Amino acid sequence: MATVVMEQIGRLFINAQQLRQIPQLLESAFPTLPCTVKISDVPRVFRERHILTGYRQTDQSWRYYFLTLFQRHNETLNVWTHLLAALIILVKCQEISETVDFLRDPHAQPLFIVLLAAFTYLSFSALAHLLSSKSELSYYTFYFLDYVGVSVYQYGSALAHYYYAIEKEWHSSVQGFFLHTAAFLAWLTCFGCCYGKYARHDLPKFAHKLLQVVPSALAYCLDISPVVHRIYSCYWEGCSDPIVSYHVYHVIFFLISAYFFCCPHPESLLPGKCDFFGQGHQIFHVLVVVCTLMQIEALRTDFTERRPLYERLHGDIAHDAVALFIFTTCCCALTAFYVRNRVRASLYEKKE
C-alpha cells in the first residue's frame, strides 16, 4: 500500500514539474517581441500621415511578423477586422453550400464568385497589413496583392448585382456592355492603385489619390447601378420588398466608409492620439466589413426569391461570367506582378 502511495506521489511530482515548465515552453514558442518604434525610426515608405508611433521594426524574420498578430501595434486592428471577417465569410459559404449546389447549378455560380471574391479581398488585406513591414519590397508586394483582391471583389460584386439584384428595365439598358466594362474598370482599379502606390513619393498628393480613387469610383458607380435602380424603382412604386433595406444599408455603409478611406480623420485632427485605436483606416475597415456582410445577405436572399426573374433574364450567361471573372483575375495578378518587378528593379538600382 505504501509503495502504491509513493508511486502516486512520484507521478504528481513529475506532473508538477512539467506544469512548471509550461511558461518556459510558451516563452520559447512565443518569444518576447521587440517594442514598437516611432515614425522617425522606420524608412519613409512605411510612414503614415498623422500616425506617430506603433510601427514595427523592419528586416525581422517572417516568424516575427506572423507573431505580431498578437502584438499591439498600429496595424493590429486593421489585421483583425478583416481576418475575422474572412472567417465569417468562410462560415457563411459553408452554411450556404448546405442548400445550394455551386457546382451543378449555373445560376448559383455568381453567388459563389462573390463569396470567393469577398474572402479573397479580406484575407489579402489582412496579409498586407500583417506582413508589409518586413521590407520595402514586401511592402509593395503585399499591398499590390491587396489591390488584386479589391479588384477581384469589384468584379465579383458587379456580377452578383447584375445577376441577382437587377430589374428588367435596367437589364435591357446595360446588358450589352455591363460585365465587360466592369471587368475593364476592375483591372483599371488594380493598375491605378499599384502604380499610385509605386510612384506616390514622386507624385503630388492629389495625383496619387486620383490614381487610386477615380478608377474605384467609376467602377463602383457602374457596379452598384443595378442596386440603385432597384432601390429607386421600389420606393417610387411604394416599396414592399424587405430585401431592399439590406441593399440600402449596404450602399450607405459603403459611402461612409469611402469618406474615411479618402480623408484621414480623426487622426489628422488628433495627431498621435489615434496611433493604435481610432484611425480613419480602421473605421473604414469596420464599415467595409459591415457593408460586405449586408451585401452577402441581400444577394443570398435574392438568389432564393428572385430565381424566376433572373433565369428569364440571363439564361446561360453564368458560364461566360465565370470565364470573364477568371480572365479579369489573371489580368489583375499579371499587372500587379509587372509593377512589382518595376519596384524590385528600382530598389536594386537604389542599393547599387
Side-chain angles (χ1 to χ4, degrees), residues 20 25 50 58 62 72-73 77 87 110 177 194 197 207 231 235 247 274 298 300 304 321 333-334 338 341 347:
R20 290 176 61 185
L25 294 174
H50 316 297
T58 60
W62 286 112
R72 179 176 174 267
H73 51 81
L77 277 183
L87 295 176
F177 65 88
C194 289
K197 177 72 78 174
I231 294 170
Y235 282 101
H247 287 299
C274 304
R300 174 185 181 179
T304 303
L334 289 172
Y338 170 75
N341 284 343
L347 293 175

Side-chain angles (χ1 to χ4, degrees), residues 122-326:
L122 290 166
S123 55
F124 283 4
S125 173
L127 281 174
H129 287 285
L130 180 65
L131 303 177
S132 60
S133 295
K134 180 173 173 57
S135 65
E136 286 195 44
L137 184 59
S138 298
Y139 175 85
Y140 288 109
T141 299
F142 284 105
Y143 275 108
F144 291 171
L145 188 67
D146 184 18
Y147 299 145
V148 171
V150 169
S151 302
V152 167
Y153 177 63
Q154 279 186 354
Y155 176 77
S157 295
L159 171 60
H161 293 159
Y162 177 75
Y163 208 88
Y164 302 121
I166 202 166
E167 296 287 343
K168 182 179 179 181
E169 297 78 14
W170 193 249
H171 178 267
S172 62
S173 300
V174 301
Q175 62 177 328
F177 65 88
F178 185 91
L179 289 178
H180 296 88
T181 307
F184 171 75
L185 290 175
W187 170 81
L188 189 63
T189 296
C190 182
F191 172 76
C193 289
C194 289
Y195 185 76
K197 177 72 78 174
Y198 164 57
R200 69 171 180 164
H201 295 299
D202 301 322
L203 294 171
K205 288 181 181 178
F206 78 91
H208 169 240
K209 278 297 180 185
L210 283 177
L211 280 170
Q212 289 196 317
V213 172
V214 171
S216 298
L218 291 174
Y220 181 74
C221 289
L222 178 68
D223 300 350
I224 204 66
S225 63
V227 172
V228 173
H229 177 266
R230 180 175 171 194
I231 294 170
Y232 173 79
S233 300
C234 186
Y235 282 101
W236 180 261
E237 298 169 359
C239 192
S240 60
D241 186 353
I243 303 306
V244 169
S245 61
Y246 280 95
H247 287 299
V248 170
Y249 291 132
H250 161 220
V251 174
I252 290 173
F253 278 111
F254 182 85
L255 293 177
I256 299 173
S257 71
Y259 169 81
F260 284 101
F261 177 80
C262 297
C263 304
H265 293 159
E267 63 266 26
S268 62
L269 306 175
L270 302 165
K273 302 296 184 182
C274 304
D275 292 350
F276 296 96
F277 305 102
Q279 301 168 26
H281 199 79
Q282 294 170 350
I283 299 172
F284 162 74
H285 269 218
V286 173
L287 291 172
V288 164
V289 167
V290 175
C291 167
T292 301
L293 296 178
M294 288 284 184
Q295 177 197 38
I296 296 299
E297 190 60 34
L299 293 171
R300 174 185 181 179
T301 309
D302 283 340
F303 165 76
T304 303
E305 298 187 359
R306 306 183 91 227
R307 190 175 189 105
L309 174 62
Y310 63 71
E311 280 186 342
R312 187 169 66 253
L313 289 178
H314 302 304
D316 294 330
I317 196 175
H319 298 295
D320 298 332
V322 170
L324 187 56
F325 170 76
I326 296 172

Side-chain angles (χ1 to χ4, degrees), residues 63 66-67 163 209 219 237 343:
R63 183 168 177 248
F66 278 107
L67 289 176
Y163 208 88
K209 278 297 180 185
E237 298 169 359
V343 169

